[in-house]
Amino acid sequence: MRTSVLSDWLAQRLERGGGQPLYRQLHHLLQQAILSRELPAGSKVPSSRLLAAELGIARNTVTQVYEQLVLEGYVHSASGRGTFVADSAPDEIVGASGVEHTPLVLSALSPAALAPLAPLTPLAPLPPAVTQTLSQRGTRLVAGAGVSKRQGGAFMPGVPDVTRFPARVWARLHNKYWRRLRPDLLTYAPGGGLALLRHVLADYLRTSRSVRCAPEQIIITTGIHQSVDLAVRLLTDPGDLIWTEDPCYWGVRSVLHVSGLETRPIAVDDEGINPSPDDLQHPPRMMLVTPSHQYPLGMVMSLARRRMLLEYARQQQCWIIEDDYDSEYRYGSRPLASLQGLDTAGQVIYVGSFGKTLFPGLRMGYLVAPEGLAERFATASAELYREGQLLQQAMLAEFIAEGHFTSHIRKMRALYGQRRGALLEAVAQRYGTALPTLGGDAGLHLVLQLPPGVDDRAVAMAALERNIVVRALSGYYAEASRAAPGLLMGYACVPDEEIAPAFSVLADALDVTLKGIR
């Protein structure tokens, strides 16, 4: 193939001064020419000096492209002989019509071959046999995903105010550990996590949450999702029955769905999860509860209900996962003791996270395993997840030991309590008692109850069009027929002065729907 033919073909497709750099365009064109056999296997490509001169571009650009193609295996260099297209393509390429494809450069002297094309032709879509390969559980997971593209602003639930995090203290600890770098902090984490963090965390949980645990029972994870996943993998088999609260957190429900468990949603009342006589006749292998602050409705599980669940679990030999969601943030009363602290049979797995108390991007949580299973939990965690982040674990351990963690929680509890009050006041000023709120005594959000018949998902979409993020309460229920309409409104990450104006915008969107049902 003559160099001038290739140069003309490339020149007609390069966009000078376009959105894509010349390097990327040239690499793409040569790559596609080789894949489609425009440049046949074994053909020699022009020298970088010659091709650069004919295209009128810098030689360094061509050299870079050639080097990249060599690394990717498209071409190879022969010392003293030049650069050649690698012999890695199939002997013939047959199109969808069954007709063998003729390489363009081999017929490049025809006018049709040199017709102008878009400089970066998109790759052809993959055939259905390749694209439609999700498993049933994968399809179900993606279809039911509740994750939001927005992770902040009014009124995103469950997001703390990361701007108030004591960054200087964290930076000091970060610099300290990098200056005195220990090689053992750069490798995989030992089973269960860094020993120092497990010790200080055990002290904290015993003091603040009445959790009964030794450091060896604590397993450091990446958060609630991984903690639940680990417990489910070790203590259940596909097809086992698990009770979940209804409504419940959609993220944990997704973890359970892909695990192959049979989930049974159990309605909640003012005292928490409330299994019916029929439910009690079908003992689960495991149940997942949020006793200190039910998510999303916010009620606290009564002592009587806690004792009933623990006795039932003891009699039926089933496990309880206690998700201690937002337990540190109670307004007007002290944080409540954990369910795990009442457990005398060793059947409660306690899970928590630093995502709300520090910052979500830390991606660090913990699981307290029953004493007799702790070593096996640690082994399984290391086997399944190959954890690391030992530097961050060391920093967090010192952050807690120096008192910064509890100090930060105290400050944020006061701040969030103030913002909670501002949001409750904004609701009252607009609606009086017409739209009650739930869950305002704790946590980082409250629920605005809506009248029956209101489409809370439509309200959430209308609010999003006005740059306000809320979550529809109905989406947290397992079955639409039992769902109650409402809006989850997070206040933690909203500056005080923005709460009232933002709620006014939300209320304007809501009023359109309310007028339609009156």
Side-chain angles (χ1 to χ4, degrees):
M1 182 192 65
R2 296 193 304 272
T3 300
S4 58
V5 174
L6 177 61
S7 300
D8 290 343
W9 186 79
L10 292 171
Q12 292 193 26
R13 288 158 176 77
L14 289 174
E15 276 192 349
R16 316 279 174 157
Q20 291 277 357
L22 287 177
Y23 161 82
R24 187 171 297 176
Q25 292 185 55
L26 182 59
H27 175 266
H28 176 80
L29 288 170
L30 289 173
Q31 183 187 64
Q32 292 302 103
I34 294 169
L35 288 173
S36 61
R37 296 177 71 187
E38 318 282 3
L39 286 173
S43 60
K44 184 178 181 179
V45 298
S47 69
S48 59
R49 184 187 301 276
L50 182 57
L51 187 59
E54 295 206 352
L55 293 178
I57 62 178
R59 184 186 177 189
N60 282 346
T61 300
V62 180
T63 302
Q64 255 189 304
V65 170
Y66 280 5
E67 290 175 348
Q68 184 65 28
L69 291 173
V70 169
L71 288 172
E72 294 170 345
Y74 288 96
V75 300
H76 63 87
S77 296
S79 180
R81 295 176 53 210
T83 302
F84 298 84
V85 176
D87 187 12
S88 58
D91 291 337
E92 61 181 30
I93 301 174
V94 179
S97 62
V99 178
E100 183 178 345
H101 173 73
T102 302
L104 180 146
V105 173
L106 298 183
S107 58
L109 296 180
S110 66
L114 292 175
L117 296 174
L120 293 177
T121 306
L123 294 176
L126 294 172
V130 176
T131 58
Q132 299 176 8
T133 55
L134 283 182
S135 64
Q136 290 184 8
R137 66 180 177 182
T139 301
R140 185 179 181 184
L141 172 66
V142 173
V147 65
S148 173
K149 294 181 180 179
R150 287 271 300 273
Q151 294 298 323
F155 289 102
M156 183 67 191
V159 178
D161 188 344
V162 297
T163 67
R164 301 301 183 98
F165 179 72
R168 289 186 179 180
V169 174
W170 195 256
R172 173 178 62 79
L173 295 173
H174 180 274
N175 294 336
K176 169 186 173 181
Y177 277 97
W178 275 108
R179 282 197 307 268
R180 307 173 186 175
L181 188 59
R182 290 165 38 192
D184 61 306
L185 294 181
L186 297 183
T187 186
Y188 295 111
L194 188 70
L196 178 59
L197 177 57
R198 298 165 81 187
H199 274 82
V200 298
L201 188 52
D203 290 340
Y204 169 77
L205 293 176
R206 284 194 296 263
T207 302
S208 67
R209 306 296 303 117
S210 301
V211 173
R212 299 181 181 183
C213 66
E216 295 74 24
Q217 291 175 250
I218 295 179
I219 312 298
I220 305 301
T221 69
T222 59
I224 298 296
H225 288 218
Q226 190 183 84
S227 295
V228 171
D229 182 64
L230 178 62
V232 164
R233 287 176 184 270
L234 288 181
L235 301 177
T236 68
D237 290 309
D240 282 348
L241 178 65
I242 182 169
W243 285 0
T244 62
E245 297 170 334
D246 194 29
C248 74
Y249 171 45
W250 51 263
V252 168
R253 189 165 59 203
S254 293
V255 173
L256 300 178
H257 282 168
V258 299
S259 69
L261 296 179
E262 178 189 347
T263 58
R264 186 180 184 111
I266 309 295
V268 298
D269 62 11
D270 291 343
E271 297 183 61
I273 190 170
N274 185 28
S276 68
D278 182 60
D279 294 326
L280 295 172
Q281 292 302 311
H282 300 85
R285 173 65 175 170
M286 179 178 283
M287 61 182 84
L288 195 153
V289 295
T290 53
S292 294
H293 181 227
Q294 200 280 332
Y295 191 85
L297 297 180
M299 67 277 293
V300 174
M301 187 182 294
S302 68
L303 178 59
R305 190 69 54 81
R306 293 177 188 228
R307 296 181 66 178
M308 182 275 288
L309 281 184
L310 289 171
E311 179 60 21
Y312 181 79
R314 186 188 66 79
Q315 292 178 3
Q316 302 298 333
Q317 293 297 293
C318 57
W319 300 101
I320 299 176
I321 297 180
E322 177 182 8
D323 180 358
D324 204 15
Y325 184 84
D326 281 351
S327 61
E328 289 87 356
Y329 296 124
R330 297 201 63 80
Y331 312 111
S333 64
R334 290 179 57 83
L336 304 173
S338 65
L339 177 68
Q340 192 266 6
L342 300 174
D343 176 29
T344 58
Q347 290 173 261
V348 175
I349 298 95
Y350 178 92
V351 300
S353 168
F354 293 100
K356 306 296 186 291
T357 51
L358 295 180
F359 57 94
L362 182 61
R363 300 312 304 142
M364 204 171 297
Y366 46 89
L367 174 152
V368 179
E371 187 175 5
L373 296 176
E375 185 175 349
R376 280 171 278 184
F377 265 76
T379 299
S381 177
E383 179 72 12
L384 288 174
Y385 311 120
R386 298 296 286 154
E387 296 291 10
Q389 296 188 333
L390 286 176
L391 270 173
Q392 289 215 99
Q393 291 186 30
M395 292 159 56
L396 179 57
E398 193 160 343
F399 186 85
I400 297 173
E402 291 182 354
H404 305 297
F405 182 59
T406 54
S407 175
H408 180 62
I409 289 175
R410 282 196 301 270
K411 292 176 183 178
M412 300 312 290
R413 187 185 298 130
L415 177 65
Y416 296 154
Q418 181 176 318
R419 291 178 178 176
R420 159 188 168 270
L423 182 54
L424 287 170
E425 183 179 352
V427 173
Q429 287 184 351
R430 183 73 173 238
Y431 296 109
T433 58
L435 298 182
T437 58
L438 297 173
D441 294 336
L444 304 181
H445 77 274
L446 55 83
V447 175
L448 184 68
Q449 293 181 279
L450 300 180
V454 172
D455 186 346
D456 54 1
R457 296 175 187 265
V459 175
M461 290 298 297
L464 188 60
E465 292 174 357
R466 294 165 169 81
N467 203 34
I468 300 294
V469 182
V470 291
R471 286 192 177 275
L473 176 62
S474 62
Y476 291 80
Y477 286 84
E479 299 176 10
S481 60
R482 299 200 300 187
L487 300 175
L488 271 72
M489 302 184 298
Y491 46 79
C493 61
V494 191
D496 301 49
E497 67 276 7
E498 295 180 16
I499 289 178
F503 182 75
S504 180
V505 174
L506 171 61
D508 290 343
L510 175 58
D511 284 348
V512 174
T513 302
L514 293 177
K515 289 177 183 177
I517 65 168
R518 288 171 183 164

